[in-house]
Amino acid sequence: MEYEKENSIVEMMQMQFPEAAFKVKKERRIEVRLPSARLYDFAVRMQKKWNFLHLSAISCVDWIDDGEFELVYHFWNYDEKVLVMAKIRIPREEEGDSHFETISNLWQPAKFFERDIHEMFGVYFDGSEDMERFILTDWNGPPPMRKDFITREFALNFYHYRDYEPQWLKDMMAAGEGNE
Amino acid sequence: MDEKMTQRSVWEKIAAKLSKRSLWMLHYCTGCGAIELPPTMTARFDMERFGINPMVTPRQADILLITGYLSVKTLKRVVLTYEQMQAPKYVVGFGSCTINGGMYWNSYATMKSLDRYIPVETYIAGCMPRPEAIIYSFNELIAKIDRGEANSWKDYYNNYDFYRENQEHTFEGPIETYNDIKADAALFRI
Amino acid sequence: MSKIDEVRDYELFIGPNHPGISGNFSFKMKLQGDKILSAKTDAGYLHRGFEKLMEERLFIQNIAIVCRICVPDPDPNENNYARAIEEIAGIEVPERAKWIRTLVLELSRLASYLFGIGGHVATTGLYAFSNWTIADRDRIMELFEELTGGRVYHIYQLPGGVRRDFPDGFERRVLEVMDYIESRLGDYDDLAINNALFIKRATGIGVITKEQAIKWGVTGPNLRACGVAADVRKDDPYEVYDKVDFEIPTRTEGDAYARTIVRRKEIEQSISIVRQIIDKIPAGPVWNKIPNPLKWKVPAGDAYVRTESSKGEYAYYMVSDGGRNPYRVHVRGASTTHGVHVLENLLAGSRIEDASQIMFSLDACPPEVDR
């Protein structure tokens, strides 16, 4: 049978979390959608009972049309060799930070990813020891990875570019070709 | 002003001939171009035969090599480093990111045109330049020093307000080495 | 606090312009005399905003910038990007292209290992060794220049295959360079790896136990030096790694010397993989053409692809919403764990004269942390 190992893992997890939606995407990849209140229990069980000891990354996706942030947690199991992507959605605030709970007391690598998501997207992880700015220490603008921040406009307005007007470019633009 | 620049005394010409063969480069890898510096400095494309050695402190270095892009955070430290170097000093812009932003032209975090913040002597084109291109441009710099034309460091004292205004527009924070600038300018009577 | 403590406890800032740090990075340390009590890293000097740049360009335009995220070992980036698009869009890659991609990845891994162990040995003061490895690494750069046109950044792996086929006589030159590097390994061992002084300086520095390694999220050669035989090439195979024979060297001590020994032994394994590839590579096309790259849309979906770079586990999470630009690309560099909190954990409790050696032996690369 195809994907035997992945399907047996899904069955084991579905018994504990009946409200979650599981899907086997391809070999060694399982995707699960959870309600955001159940993530902490899921993470505890992953680490303590099901032996998924490696947190590979935490990613954040800004779905501006839905008004939500999606947080994706990637867990890897060294013995079974399977990756589980746990996806949750939290509401997106226009001004100020959205809030969610931290898992950095379970996994130390989560501290870096949560700090990164905080300064890039504006999601505050409650209970974390350290939410200081890390990479953008002199930045005064909005969180730059949000979809309403257009980096091209910002760069064109804020920085000085060198003037470069050679004759061939002037001829081209007079003929109506080229852009910018 | 032009006459003063072209007429050099005998002592200045001898000093140029001796100093052009012992330029020390600051060992500061500011951007991605720095990966081509170890091949240039070591045995294959040996740079030491021209007298150029890496040096770790800015107080004893002559050349500041800006290898590639500068994020705003690094730009603040580079300006501080530049002001700590003793005149005469030469800045070489390495790669196309110093010329007009290069690959990261629409990024919110990198500076676009280096000579608005510090005066630049020569540029090396490429992304990234080969070690042979680096050595070629160092030879051009040595020839320029010999002819007495490598004077862009004086521009920093003459146009200090212009540079300072651009620096403050891009990053905040006090830049403290103002005394070094005044002392250097008085020493060279600018 | 007594007067002695006031004089003895101090904070030190090791800043970005420092030859003892591998790149543009800084950390603040609290010291008591020579002993480090705690350290805090400060990254962000190399931040370019890659993930935002990639969202504002077409899929095909991103291939040119994606290799600049990791500077010493750029090919895993291109491989991850191409494989993520292939997984989302369901594009098939011809067989010959997979073998060529594996060859390019292994050559890049060799160049990065030579750079890495040269850097580590140089922090103990033996500069002649790093001169040798950087000069030998240049032969591999020449091979890359012949194949792809660029010494450091290749822009060679596209979604659907690779950009061009081998030039004439390329296989023979690759085998010559492999023979040359193999002949130098004996000299490397005599000079540095089996040198009693280097062994004395590097053992016992920055020890990571097996439980700590898994808890802190250590990956790559650093993890194999602690006794865990985990390698993404064997656990989550991609390209043709399931068709070539290679071993995974491990050590159990987990200190700086063990990490360098693991990298030195993996050089031998990489040379053997390159020879097997040249031997077994099939003929055929090298690219499945993308229809009209400037107007190409990738269907909606997401993918998480992982590669074993020379520094550890390198992964991309890509989300596409059916448009012409990627919707979100998240880059998980291999040094995000090594350069940040593994370094902080190891520095606390060690001495200041070993700080530089710890950072270089972990092979932490700041551009991957900052993106």
Side-chain angles (χ1 to χ4, degrees):
Chain A
M1 188 179 79
E2 227 193 345
Y3 304 151
E4 204 174 303
K5 175 176 70 172
E6 288 84 359
N7 280 325
S8 66
I9 293 180
V10 166
E11 273 176 36
M12 174 180 71
M13 292 182 178
Q14 185 92 66
M15 287 198 309
Q16 303 286 337
F17 291 88
E19 69 277 17
F22 284 88
K23 183 171 147 196
V24 175
K25 293 181 71 157
K26 55 182 267 222
E27 51 176 353
R28 296 184 293 270
R29 297 285 188 271
I30 299 177
E31 175 192 298
V32 52
R33 293 186 191 274
L34 290 172
S36 62
R38 298 285 278 147
L39 176 76
Y40 194 80
D41 298 331
F42 190 73
V44 168
R45 230 170 253 271
M46 282 294 232
Q47 192 183 54
K48 308 270 195 280
K49 278 197 70 171
W50 294 327
N51 223 18
F52 279 74
L53 297 173
H54 181 60
L55 175 69
S56 188
I58 306 179
S59 320
C60 181
V61 186
D62 183 7
W63 295 106
I64 191 169
D65 297 327
D66 300 340
E68 289 181 321
F69 283 128
E70 184 175 25
L71 289 175
V72 186
Y73 291 75
H74 307 275
F75 300 103
W76 172 258
N77 187 329
Y78 280 119
D79 300 317
E80 299 280 344
K81 308 202 193 328
V82 166
L83 183 89
V84 169
M85 299 200 275
K87 299 186 176 176
I88 62 169
R89 296 236 173 175
I90 59 176
R92 181 186 195 273
E93 310 283 335
E94 287 296 321
E95 302 287 328
D97 292 341
S98 311
H99 285 258
F100 192 63
E101 56 189 349
T102 179
I103 63 169
S104 59
N105 44 355
L106 298 171
W107 270 284
Q108 207 182 27
K111 278 205 295 206
F112 172 78
F113 295 115
E114 292 178 351
R115 273 172 99 176
D116 192 46
I117 294 177
H118 175 233
E119 57 181 345
M120 296 287 173
F121 286 91
V123 179
Y124 193 89
F125 287 86
D126 303 314
S128 171
E129 307 166 338
D130 192 359
M131 273 278 126
E132 262 182 50
R133 288 191 146 180
F134 191 61
I135 290 180
L136 300 171
T137 39
D138 284 327
W139 176 254
N140 283 333
M145 282 299 291
R146 291 197 175 202
K147 282 287 179 182
D148 41 10
F149 176 78
I150 312 280
T151 177
R152 180 168 155 147
E153 280 169 21
F154 181 82
L156 287 173
N157 291 336
F158 185 71
Y159 292 103
H160 312 282
Y161 287 79
R162 188 186 302 272
D163 294 322
Y164 183 61
E165 303 267 297
Q167 190 57 41
W168 59 264
L169 187 62
K170 286 189 201 161
D171 293 338
M172 238 172 88
M173 296 187 68
E177 296 166 354
N179 55 345
E180 291 234 8
Chain B
M1 193 62 192
D2 276 346
E3 289 171 5
K4 257 182 125 180
M5 274 169 70
T6 51
Q7 275 180 4
R8 294 183 291 159
S9 72
V10 176
W11 293 117
E12 281 177 352
K13 288 187 188 161
I14 295 180
K17 279 216 183 306
L18 295 174
S19 73
K20 74 179 184 185
R21 284 295 179 187
S22 94
L23 297 166
W24 280 3
M25 183 183 85
L26 183 65
H27 178 111
Y28 186 10
C29 311
T30 53
C32 32
I35 194 81
E36 288 282 50
L37 276 188
T40 316
M41 291 195 291
T42 57
R44 186 125 191 255
F45 302 98
D46 188 12
M47 197 168 68
E48 205 172 323
R49 53 194 156 125
F50 300 107
I52 303 182
N53 236 343
M55 165 40 65
V56 296
T57 159
R59 295 278 193 201
Q60 296 174 9
D62 300 298
I63 301 183
L64 178 61
L65 189 67
I66 305 285
T67 56
Y69 66 93
L70 282 182
S71 69
V72 170
K73 201 166 167 177
T74 318
L75 178 63
K76 191 166 159 186
R77 275 80 178 171
V78 162
V79 166
L80 210 57
T81 305
Y82 179 77
E83 295 187 348
Q84 285 179 357
M85 288 166 73
Q86 310 290 321
K89 49 196 170 181
Y90 313 102
V91 176
V92 179
F94 187 99
S96 52
C97 288
T98 52
I99 300 178
N100 212 355
M103 197 62 90
Y104 315 111
W105 64 276
N106 58 344
S107 159
Y108 57 87
T110 58
M111 61 96 213
K112 305 296 179 269
S113 166
L114 181 61
D115 68 354
R116 288 207 165 237
Y117 304 102
I118 50 180
V120 180
E121 193 69 51
T122 57
Y123 289 97
I124 312 179
C127 186
M128 57 193 55
R130 299 178 55 106
E132 286 107 333
I134 306 175
I135 294 181
Y136 175 75
S137 79
F138 279 145
N139 280 336
E140 294 260 314
L141 180 66
I142 289 175
K144 231 175 155 184
I145 295 174
D146 200 19
R147 290 194 300 266
E149 291 169 9
N151 289 324
S152 64
W153 53 274
K154 292 185 186 163
D155 197 39
Y156 196 70
Y157 310 115
N158 290 334
N159 292 333
Y160 186 60
D161 295 324
F162 168 72
Y163 289 115
R164 187 67 189 250
E165 183 194 317
N166 284 332
Q167 288 162 12
E168 286 183 349
H169 168 72
T170 312
F171 54 82
E172 318 143 4
I175 308 172
E176 290 160 5
T177 58
Y178 193 57
N179 288 333
D180 275 347
I181 309 289
K182 285 206 264 191
D184 259 345
L187 180 66
F188 284 91
R189 273 170 287 237
I190 299 175
Chain C
M1 222 197 283
S2 70
K3 266 196 139 175
I4 300 182
D5 279 343
E6 279 171 16
V7 169
R8 199 171 54 181
D9 293 348
Y10 58 102
E11 258 188 45
L12 186 66
F13 180 79
I14 296 199
N17 174 15
H18 200 283
I21 305 185
S22 60
N24 213 348
F25 200 62
S26 67
F27 28 93
K28 308 188 187 70
M29 304 197 280
K30 285 201 167 55
L31 293 115
Q32 194 180 58
D34 265 353
K35 246 173 58 114
I36 304 177
L37 299 174
S38 71
K40 205 153 161 28
T41 52
D42 186 21
Y45 291 95
L46 293 168
H47 182 64
R48 294 154 273 180
F50 261 110
E51 304 181 347
K52 193 74 187 180
L53 289 179
M54 288 208 258
E55 288 178 18
E56 298 202 355
R57 294 177 195 216
L58 302 174
F59 274 104
I60 197 86
Q61 286 176 327
N62 278 329
I63 298 171
I65 67 170
V66 108
C67 43
R68 283 152 169 89
I69 299 181
C70 176
V71 178
D73 195 9
D75 290 290
N77 285 295
E78 299 178 21
N79 189 279
N80 273 335
Y81 187 76
R83 270 174 42 221
I85 295 182
E86 285 156 14
E87 194 175 312
I88 298 178
I91 302 178
E92 283 289 320
V93 178
E95 197 58 30
R96 185 173 168 91
K98 288 192 191 169
W99 287 83
I100 298 182
R101 278 184 182 177
T102 316
L103 175 73
V104 167
L105 282 174
E106 287 302 311
L107 285 177
S108 175
R109 190 193 309 277
L110 267 177
S112 178
Y113 277 153
L114 286 172
F115 198 66
I117 52 179
H120 176 212
V121 175
T123 58
T124 59
L126 190 57
Y127 299 112
F129 185 73
S130 73
N131 269 308
W132 284 7
T133 55
I134 292 177
D136 291 339
R137 171 184 171 263
D138 232 61
R139 307 275 303 243
I140 303 183
M141 297 285 116
E142 280 180 352
L143 281 180
F144 274 129
E145 196 184 3
E146 189 183 336
L147 179 64
T148 69
R151 278 168 53 106
V152 183
Y153 295 137
H154 312 136
I155 314 178
Y156 184 61
Q157 301 180 39
L158 308 170
V162 294
R163 199 168 22 109
R164 59 190 282 247
D165 206 344
F166 288 160
D168 291 331
F170 186 71
E171 284 110 338
R172 181 176 49 88
R173 280 189 281 279
V174 170
L175 290 174
E176 276 174 12
V177 172
M178 292 297 116
D179 290 339
Y180 171 73
I181 294 183
E182 204 175 19
S183 71
R184 301 282 287 157
L185 289 178
D187 286 336
Y188 292 164
D189 287 341
D190 286 338
L191 177 62
I193 311 280
N194 293 336
N195 186 340
L197 280 173
F198 177 67
I199 296 180
K200 181 165 169 287
R201 286 233 18 211
T203 40
I205 306 287
V207 179
I208 309 179
T209 64
K210 194 167 167 182
E211 292 73 32
Q212 281 174 339
I214 298 189
K215 202 169 90 158
W216 294 346
V218 177
T219 53
N222 299 330
L223 183 62
R224 296 196 271 283
C226 303
V228 180
D231 187 330
V232 182
R233 295 176 288 176
K234 290 254 190 223
D235 298 340
D236 201 1
Y238 53 98
E239 308 296 354
V240 296
Y241 281 111
D242 43 359
K243 297 188 185 123
V244 293
D245 281 326
F246 62 102
E247 293 167 1
I248 307 180
T250 54
R251 303 273 291 191
T252 49
E253 302 96 21
D255 57 8
Y257 186 63
R259 296 195 271 271
T260 301
I261 292 283
V262 165
R263 292 190 177 106
R264 154 76 182 76
K265 289 206 179 311
E266 292 201 6
I267 292 182
E268 291 171 9
Q269 297 297 320
S270 286
I271 294 179
S272 141
I273 294 179
V274 168
R275 286 188 175 137
Q276 287 177 47
I277 293 176
I278 300 280
D279 200 25
K280 295 187 198 168
I281 187 167
V286 291
W287 188 35
N288 272 337
K289 284 188 95 125
I290 306 172
N292 198 356
L294 292 176
K295 294 201 170 70
W296 179 44
K297 293 190 181 177
V298 171
D302 64 350
Y304 190 71
V305 286
R306 308 163 76 218
T307 320
E308 174 83 12
S309 86
S310 62
K311 310 208 184 283
E313 171 195 350
Y314 208 108
Y316 271 38
Y317 176 60
M318 184 186 285
V319 178
S320 159
D321 65 341
R324 283 196 266 168
N325 297 355
Y327 194 77
R328 170 86 173 106
V329 181
H330 179 212
V331 176
R332 188 258 190 223
S335 305
T336 47
T337 49
H338 303 160
V340 180
H341 58 264
V342 174
L343 190 61
E344 288 178 6
N345 292 338
L346 284 179
L347 281 179
S350 58
R351 306 178 68 89
I352 191 168
E353 51 259 20
D354 301 325
S356 169
Q357 209 191 129
I358 291 178
M359 181 158 185
F360 272 86
S361 77
L362 286 174
D363 213 1
C365 167
E368 286 176 343
V369 176
D370 298 341
R371 288 157 281 134

